[in-house]
Amino acid sequence: MSTWTLDQLQTFIHDARGQQLETARVAAQGQAYNSSHPQEARRQWAKLSLLANRRMLDNAEEPSARLAQQDFMLRMWVIDRLGPDDTDPDWSPEALASDTLDALTFTLTQAAGLAEGWRDLPIEQIRELRWHKNLTAHLDNLVGHLEPGPVRERIVAWTATRQHLP
């Protein structure tokens, strides 16, 4: 797949399922990271990787923190390396911030409170705290792309709380 054209991989992704989607996601992401491609082509490859990832998410029986994290991390990489684009929600820092906050199931207060004594929590809650840590891995980079305001303040607060999560 790493030698396929954008169109070939896109056609494949529309019919693929399961592990095939993961393989396609990784192949497209690899092309997005390829600095020998022009910037716009890299964005197109990144979009294709997001499509494969989102198709996996659509077919999941329950929301997957891993798939959401992959989405957030690639979007952050594009914003950092290729620049933000507020005309496209995938490359908009504000949209990424909102999507991240929407994906979190604990409030900031809940996460901070649970983080204090996380070693004594049931494994399910520890796992959920760990998911929150993974889902917020990109926030340190995102802060610098956000305009001052309530969303940025929430992101900054999560970056501080994230340090205490297991």
Side-chain angles (χ1 to χ4, degrees):
M1 279 187 207
S2 64
T3 61
W4 290 8
T5 67
L6 189 76
D7 290 337
Q8 288 172 317
L9 195 55
Q10 186 167 10
T11 299
F12 177 80
I13 287 171
H14 283 291
D15 297 326
R17 297 273 184 265
Q19 187 58 41
Q20 292 175 326
L21 284 168
E22 175 64 9
T23 302
R25 181 195 70 77
V26 170
Q29 186 169 312
Q31 293 293 343
Y33 291 164
N34 186 337
S35 61
S36 69
H37 293 312
Q39 184 173 335
E40 190 51 39
R42 294 171 79 185
R43 284 183 190 272
Q44 290 174 331
W45 283 108
K47 275 282 192 194
L48 200 53
S49 182
L50 290 175
L51 174 65
N53 193 61
R54 290 169 180 167
R55 291 230 31 250
M56 286 188 290
L57 196 55
D58 289 344
N59 294 326
E61 291 183 19
E62 59 186 58
S64 168
R66 184 182 68 83
L67 296 176
Q69 181 199 20
Q70 288 171 176
D71 185 286
F72 297 159
M73 293 300 287
L74 180 57
R75 289 168 64 189
M76 187 71 250
W77 182 88
V78 169
I79 290 167
D80 266 347
R81 301 289 165 81
L82 304 178
D85 178 356
D86 290 329
T87 65
D88 185 330
D90 286 333
W91 317 138
S92 163
E94 297 293 332
L96 178 55
S98 293
D99 292 346
T100 303
L101 293 170
D102 289 346
L104 302 173
T105 57
F106 286 140
T107 66
L108 183 60
T109 304
Q110 289 171 322
L114 290 169
E116 286 180 24
W118 71 265
R119 286 180 175 83
D120 298 324
L121 294 173
I123 190 73
E124 295 80 20
Q125 280 189 311
I126 295 171
R127 184 178 303 124
E128 197 165 352
L129 285 173
R130 186 67 188 165
W131 288 341
H132 280 68
K133 187 169 192 167
N134 291 340
L135 285 172
T136 56
H138 61 286
L139 295 187
D140 284 332
N141 291 350
L142 184 57
V143 168
H145 294 279
L146 298 173
E147 296 294 324
V151 171
R152 186 179 190 281
E153 289 172 18
R154 288 180 64 199
I155 295 296
V156 168
W158 267 104
T159 62
T161 298
R162 183 179 187 279
Q163 299 172 20
H164 304 289
L165 299 176

